[in-house]
Amino acid sequence: MERIASALAVAVRTGCIAYVYLENGKPVRWGMSRKATKSTQNAAQIVKSWLDDFSPDLLISENSETAYSKGVRSRQILETIGELFETADGLNVRLTRVQSYQNKFQEAKALAQKYPELKHLCPLQPPIWMPKPRNLSYFEALSFVEQLKAKPSK
């Protein structure tokens, strides 16, 4: 990851798609779209605009074929993003999500410590009957970056 100048990590969750754009391993831009989850066409249009804005060297997303905990629409959107990434300039990596922490909130807290630029977005865990905050999406995208860093090079 150190040899890569810029990376765009994208995460899909119910109701939103989030990205974190990194330069030299540091987050410099991040954003989220709720509209992108309405259809695969919306997702393609919005993710394409992110690619045009940033022109990253590395494109990271979740593998739709191993996203077992995602719903049908989320998997379709992941597949659309993967296809879009394949046609874009830059190295395309699709990962199987690995949960390295007891829950997503602990993961977000740990990643917020590592990436203080996003600390203000770290959500508190709501009561069990409340929906999970959308800000978790940023940390899911960062988890892909961390997972790639931890992967041994061949």
Side-chain angles (χ1 to χ4, degrees), residues 4-79:
I4 303 293
S6 62
L8 179 68
V10 176
V12 176
R13 293 179 54 84
T14 301
C16 69
I17 298 177
Y19 74 86
V20 177
Y21 175 70
L22 300 97
E23 287 181 350
N24 300 315
K26 292 196 174 283
V28 293
R29 295 273 309 272
W30 46 88
M32 183 181 300
S33 173
R34 293 175 68 190
K35 178 184 174 186
T37 60
K38 302 295 182 202
S39 70
T40 55
Q41 292 82 10
N42 285 359
Q45 179 183 12
I46 289 168
V47 172
K48 173 99 172 73
S49 73
W50 296 341
L51 290 171
D52 292 342
D53 287 347
F54 304 123
S55 299
D57 300 323
L58 177 63
L59 310 163
I60 310 167
S61 65
E62 185 171 3
N63 186 341
S64 62
E65 294 177 10
T66 58
Y68 304 117
S69 65
K70 304 281 185 190
V72 172
R73 183 182 293 178
S74 292
R75 287 194 307 270
Q76 290 171 340
I77 290 171
L78 281 169
E79 183 60 30

Side-chain angles (χ1 to χ4, degrees), residues 24-153:
N24 300 315
K26 292 196 174 283
V28 293
R29 295 273 309 272
W30 46 88
M32 183 181 300
S33 173
R34 293 175 68 190
K35 178 184 174 186
T37 60
K38 302 295 182 202
S39 70
T40 55
Q41 292 82 10
N42 285 359
Q45 179 183 12
I46 289 168
V47 172
K48 173 99 172 73
S49 73
W50 296 341
L51 290 171
D52 292 342
D53 287 347
F54 304 123
S55 299
D57 300 323
L58 177 63
L59 310 163
I60 310 167
S61 65
E62 185 171 3
N63 186 341
S64 62
E65 294 177 10
T66 58
Y68 304 117
S69 65
K70 304 281 185 190
V72 172
R73 183 182 293 178
S74 292
R75 287 194 307 270
Q76 290 171 340
I77 290 171
L78 281 169
E79 183 60 30
T80 298
I81 291 170
E83 290 169 0
L84 189 61
F85 279 8
E86 285 176 5
T87 62
D89 291 336
L91 179 62
N92 172 24
V93 178
R94 294 194 217 181
L95 299 171
T96 298
R97 175 122 162 84
V98 175
Q99 186 78 33
S100 302
Y101 294 85
Q102 188 174 2
N103 64 49
K104 293 176 182 181
F105 294 95
Q106 288 179 357
E107 178 179 57
K109 188 175 179 181
L111 289 169
Q113 294 296 320
K114 188 163 188 166
Y115 298 98
E117 301 88 349
L118 292 161
K119 192 171 190 172
H120 68 284
L121 296 172
C122 188
L124 297 174
Q125 188 166 358
I128 193 137
W129 63 86
M130 298 286 292
K132 290 185 176 135
R134 287 190 175 93
N135 281 3
L136 280 174
S137 304
Y138 296 119
F139 297 97
E140 185 172 328
L142 280 174
S143 75
F144 295 139
V145 173
E146 288 300 302
Q147 192 175 326
L148 194 57
K149 283 181 178 180
K151 211 173 192 180
S153 299

